[in-house]
Amino acid sequence: VSDIDSVDDTEDRVLLMTDGISGVLSQEEIGAAAKGSCQQIAQRLERAVLAKANPSQDNFTAIVAAYGR
């Protein structure tokens, strides 16, 4: 995802994900999930991938980190 709105003025987020997520969700779906706390972002991504109910779904991993400016 090339451009995600910042959560607030004091923290940025870094999102690393495997192709089990980026190959299943569109950039728009990932962007919609990428708001809130790190835990909320990871949970939204998990729910979005599982909601696709793809029988041949690859494993998926996301790492979401926050850091201050």
Side-chain angles (χ1 to χ4, degrees):
V1 175
S2 58
D3 190 18
I4 297 174
D5 292 334
S6 186
V7 174
D8 60 37
D9 290 339
T10 60
E11 289 189 330
D12 286 321
R13 302 282 189 270
V14 174
L15 171 59
L16 304 173
M17 69 190 96
T18 61
D19 63 347
I21 297 173
S22 63
V24 173
L25 301 179
S26 69
Q27 285 193 6
E28 291 77 20
E29 290 170 311
I30 294 168
K35 294 173 176 48
S37 72
C38 294
Q39 183 172 350
Q40 290 170 327
I41 293 168
Q43 289 171 336
R44 281 192 204 99
L45 290 169
E46 177 185 28
R47 284 193 299 266
V49 169
L50 294 175
K52 299 284 183 175
N54 183 350
S56 60
Q57 173 65 47
D58 191 8
N59 60 347
F60 57 93
T61 302
I63 299 171
V64 187
Y67 63 94
R69 292 186 186 178

